[in-house]
Amino acid sequence: MSPHPRIPGRRFLHSPGPTPLPDAVLHAMSRQPMDLGDPRVDANIATVEVGLKRLLQTTVAEVYLYAANGHGAWEAVVENVADIGQTVLVAGTGHFSESWAVQTEALGRQVVRTPWREGWPIDSAAIEQALRDDTGHTIRAVFAVHTDTASGVTSDLDAMRRAIDAARHPALLVADVVASLGAAPFDMDALGIDVALGASQKGLMCPPGVGFVAANPRAFAQAEANQAPRFYWNWVLRKSELSYRKYCGTPPQNLLFGMEAALELIFDEGMPAVFARHALLARAVHAAVEGWAEAGALGFFAQDAAARSVSVTTITVPPGTDVDALRSVARERYQVAMAGGLGPLAGRAFRIGHLGDCNPAMILGALGGVEAALRVQGIPVGDGVGRAVRLLAAG
Ligand SMILES: *Cc1c(COP(=O)(O)O)cnc(C)c1O
């Protein structure tokens, strides 16, 4: 027998990235690559750029795409907005803000961190205070993770914009929307975001492999003035009509065919409908967690109910729980793949992703598989699936 026997039916992928690929995306990618002079290459790139700007709700920013993941987009931001030795502020959200801060320091930049309170969104007042304290305006940018995929908490970008303005500080506002774009409303221009960054494998329903940033003219000017030695990530070099320069070499064509198809799916469904679907499915998951929590063992990691993300839910487990064993029962016996706790939450939580190409039947199937796995593992749970069904029946 093969060590990897065929799975009957489908395995439900409920990690918060990668997410399931729609058939239209898979089909769009299963084509031969093209020679770099083929006008179809440029047409595909142009469609992806227009679509990304529409999804980001920007008419002023330019997009730069990289054959990279979200960490590549992080690196692109760091290399362009601050010189070596210069300072950025990283707003504390937990694991993802800390990973970004560590990467920023590894690249020779200084980092000011605002404190993180477990289970709570970014503290805009702490950002304002840190910027007021920076009387010499040495902080070049504020890095904010919109949805922290480890904690399942979404922060208020508008409040951060107001905090920066209240402090009368010129720092750029950079939003990491890797886990929220395509799932939650995001209006880059109206929010006054100078740089937004994303990746292909979460709400965008594409395979991993493309990271991207959108930079407005103010951010581009800062990049242009920045003396930091860089090449692959350099927005100034990538601002070109030639696709080979835009991508600093060969574009990741098949991934971009997939992205064109994915964006078309989003626009065909309609952005408001996509966001409403995510909000509804998130409420179904939250209802299930409330039901499970009645038995006293499980709970929400996100303490502020209003800040619970529409993309991923982080569920705390009692001390001593073997989270890996729980995940493995869910995956191997019930065909539901979910995620574990990250960073400080390792062993303390598991996560259910509910973003991208997902519908009520899929979410109920996933919740049922998770509930069964919890019971197999002897973790006390109340009726979660029933609550989710009732919520969907009422909605
Ligand atoms: C997934 C994620 C990243 C990192 O993306 P990779 O593709 O894994 O490098 C960064 N920020 C957020 C908010 C994420 O969810």
Side-chain angles (χ1 to χ4, degrees):
M1 200 174 91
S2 143
H4 299 292
R6 192 188 87 86
I7 307 164
R10 287 222 169 163
R11 175 169 285 163
F12 284 18
L13 178 54
H14 285 274
S15 84
T19 65
L21 305 180
D23 291 342
V25 172
L26 281 172
H27 293 155
M29 291 189 305
S30 62
R31 279 150 62 185
Q32 295 295 337
M34 299 170 192
D35 82 82
L36 297 175
D38 191 319
R40 292 171 195 82
V41 172
D42 289 340
N44 165 241
I45 287 172
T47 309
V48 166
E49 288 179 353
V50 168
L52 277 180
K53 288 183 207 172
R54 182 169 164 201
L55 187 58
L56 290 158
Q57 294 283 290
T58 181
T59 56
V60 297
E62 280 304 329
V63 289
Y64 305 93
L65 288 83
Y66 301 92
N69 55 21
H71 281 71
W74 274 352
E75 189 130 339
V77 168
V78 173
E79 294 285 19
N80 281 285
V81 305
D83 200 348
I84 292 165
Q86 288 185 336
T87 304
V88 302
L89 184 152
V90 178
T93 59
H95 178 70
F96 279 85
S97 66
E98 188 49 30
S99 303
W100 197 1
V102 166
Q103 189 170 330
T104 302
E105 287 170 333
L107 293 165
R109 278 71 172 181
Q110 309 288 317
V111 172
V112 172
R113 291 168 170 80
T114 58
W116 172 51
R117 205 170 137 216
E118 269 206 5
W120 293 87
I122 290 173
D123 179 359
S124 304
I127 296 177
E128 183 176 336
Q129 193 54 53
L131 294 178
R132 284 189 192 281
D133 293 345
D134 178 38
T135 49
H137 289 176
T138 59
I139 293 173
R140 306 295 287 149
V142 172
F143 290 180
V145 177
H146 187 208
T147 291
D148 187 289
T149 321
S151 62
V153 171
T154 298
S155 292
D156 182 353
L157 292 167
D158 190 45
M160 290 180 235
R161 176 75 264 168
R162 281 185 273 115
I164 297 171
D165 293 345
R168 297 177 181 281
H169 197 289
L172 301 174
L173 177 53
V174 180
D176 169 345
V177 292
V178 175
S180 52
L181 190 67
F186 176 72
D187 191 332
M188 180 172 177
D189 291 353
L191 285 164
I193 307 289
D194 298 296
V195 182
L197 70 100
S200 50
Q201 79 273 23
K202 300 191 181 179
L204 276 180
M205 310 181 290
C206 290
V210 175
F212 54 88
V213 304
N216 73 7
R218 202 162 85 88
F220 187 82
Q222 186 159 315
E224 244 179 339
N226 180 6
Q227 299 295 310
R230 62 199 192 278
F231 195 88
Y232 185 75
W233 307 109
N234 196 336
W235 298 338
V236 181
L237 295 177
R238 277 171 176 256
K239 197 170 177 141
S240 168
E241 290 309 308
L242 299 172
S243 62
Y244 198 77
R245 282 199 53 192
K246 279 185 180 182
Y247 284 84
C248 192
T250 308
Q253 292 181 10
N254 293 54
L255 288 169
L256 297 173
F257 300 155
M259 196 173 278
E260 178 176 340
L263 287 162
E264 195 178 322
L265 291 177
I266 291 173
F267 300 135
D268 282 353
E269 185 178 349
M271 284 193 280
V274 169
F275 301 146
R277 173 168 55 81
H278 279 84
L280 176 67
L281 297 180
R283 282 198 285 128
V285 174
H286 297 166
V289 176
E290 279 163 16
W292 292 336
E294 281 183 347
L298 301 181
F300 286 103
F301 180 73
Q303 298 305 305
D304 179 358
R308 280 176 200 149
S309 125
V310 298
S311 305
V312 53
T313 299
T314 304
I315 300 147
T316 54
V317 296
T321 303
D322 187 343
V323 173
D324 287 341
L326 172 68
R327 287 175 65 199
S328 142
V329 169
R331 186 196 312 110
E332 306 304 332
R333 197 154 151 185
Y334 300 108
Q335 308 302 340
V336 180
M338 52 180 184
L342 281 178
L345 286 175
R348 288 172 55 202
F350 66 90
R351 295 175 297 147
I352 300 175
H354 33 87
L355 76 166
D357 194 36
C358 195
N359 65 33
M362 291 161 78
I363 220 68
L364 289 175
L367 293 170
V370 173
E371 190 169 309
L374 287 162
R375 290 184 188 278
V376 167
Q377 292 304 95
I379 300 171
V381 285
D383 175 21
V385 173
R387 280 234 198 172
V389 169
R390 284 191 292 279
L391 180 126
L392 290 168

